[in-house]
Amino acid sequence: LAKTTQPISMDSYEGQEVNITCSHNNIATNDYITWYQQFPSQGPRFIIQGYKTKVTNEVASLFIPADRKSSTLSLPRVSLSDTAVYYCLVGDFRDEKLTFGTGTRLTIIP
Amino acid sequence: DAMVIQNPRYQVTQFGKPVTLSCSQTLNHNVMYWYQQKSSQAPKLLFHYYDKDFNNEADTPDNFQSRRPNTSFCFLDIRSPGLGDAAMYLCATSRGGIRSGTSLGNEQFFGPGTRLTVL
């Protein structure tokens, strides 16, 4: 399984765009990149998934460079309710298992 | 609209007293998972079922067992809880990756968790 490295914590002010970068140097050909969000005392929630280039949904964007050795989750105009832990996961699309890394604790400041 | 339901949300047990946590799903997903999450740590996969096919993680202690009597329900049994087993236990489901024949089949849907306290 590809190992992921992401910042332990980040702070940002309300209304700003937040970019969280994840490093996954040994990503394999069949691996997808997936991000989950977890609020305190709740289960993680799927945010976005991608393989290469850019993926956008109503919540976030995911940027993946051509070498796929890193990825960046972009949250536009964050609010206090975006305070959570964000996990970057890399896994084989053929495998039903997930391995969570350490995650990034994002704190939004008023 | 509840999709993955866990009962109870909070469970208190005594050291060594068996406890069972339950999970049910309305998504008709093939796969059900159990994770353990300790404070300020990432969720750790204990085991999962693909239909009736049980898959145990290599480092899951024998103290943890699971049952899946039907598609909708899955149980986590802790035979002799120790103080170190106090944690949030998360149940999740997915369609099942490539075996399910869908491209995003490995997206997991989590329940709210059961917080276990061991006295």
Side-chain angles (χ1 to χ4, degrees):
Chain A
L1 292 172
K3 181 177 167 56
T4 60
T5 303
Q6 42 183 135
I8 293 174
S9 65
M10 292 179 65
D11 294 338
S12 180
Y13 288 98
E14 271 192 297
Q16 291 189 333
E17 178 184 80
V18 171
N19 296 309
I20 307 175
T21 297
C22 179
S23 172
H24 28 80
N25 290 318
N26 59 338
I27 190 168
T29 303
N30 291 322
D31 286 344
Y32 270 75
I33 300 152
T34 310
W35 287 79
Y36 280 77
Q37 173 192 54
Q38 186 176 25
F39 297 115
S41 299
Q42 293 186 27
R45 182 175 73 106
F46 174 92
I47 302 176
I48 198 165
Q49 185 179 73
Y51 184 80
K52 61 180 178 181
T53 62
K54 177 183 175 183
V55 180
T56 298
N57 62 23
E58 64 277 6
V59 176
S61 295
L62 178 60
F63 298 92
I64 306 167
D67 67 4
R68 304 198 329 120
K69 292 184 183 300
S70 66
S71 58
T72 299
L73 174 72
S74 180
L75 305 172
R77 297 180 301 282
V78 293
S79 63
L80 295 176
S81 63
D82 292 315
T83 294
V85 178
Y86 292 82
Y87 292 99
C88 166
L89 297 90
V90 173
D92 193 318
F93 77 94
R94 299 168 296 180
D95 192 351
E96 62 259 19
K97 298 198 305 184
L98 290 178
T99 300
F100 284 83
T102 53
T104 297
R105 185 172 298 277
L106 175 65
T107 302
I108 306 303
I109 304 165
Chain B
D1 286 332
M3 295 184 290
V4 182
I5 304 159
Q6 291 190 244
N7 285 308
R9 294 292 312 275
Y10 300 90
Q11 176 74 57
V12 180
T13 190
Q14 292 180 329
F15 182 95
K17 184 175 181 181
V19 65
T20 294
L21 309 181
S22 72
C23 177
S24 63
Q25 55 137 337
T26 59
L27 297 164
N28 202 33
H29 280 172
N30 298 317
V31 191
M32 295 188 77
Y33 309 79
W34 280 105
Y35 290 84
Q36 179 193 64
Q37 186 174 27
K38 296 187 176 180
S39 181
S40 299
Q41 295 183 21
K44 178 179 180 297
L45 182 64
L46 296 173
F47 25 58
H48 74 280
Y49 277 94
Y50 194 112
D51 293 332
K52 292 187 181 296
D53 181 21
F54 178 70
N55 300 271
N56 197 32
E57 293 302 297
D59 56 355
T60 298
D62 292 340
N63 197 28
F64 292 87
Q65 303 286 317
S66 186
R67 296 170 283 134
R68 188 179 185 185
N70 54 53
T71 300
S72 301
F73 286 87
C74 195
F75 300 97
L76 170 63
D77 300 309
I78 308 176
R79 295 194 293 190
S80 182
L83 298 179
D85 296 327
M88 175 77 85
Y89 289 88
L90 296 162
C91 174
T93 72
S94 78
R95 283 184 289 270
I98 196 171
R99 278 202 274 177
S100 73
T102 59
S103 61
L104 280 180
N106 58 4
E107 176 186 345
Q108 294 190 15
F109 296 80
F110 284 81
T114 295
R115 184 167 297 283
L116 178 69
T117 300
V118 181
L119 301 177

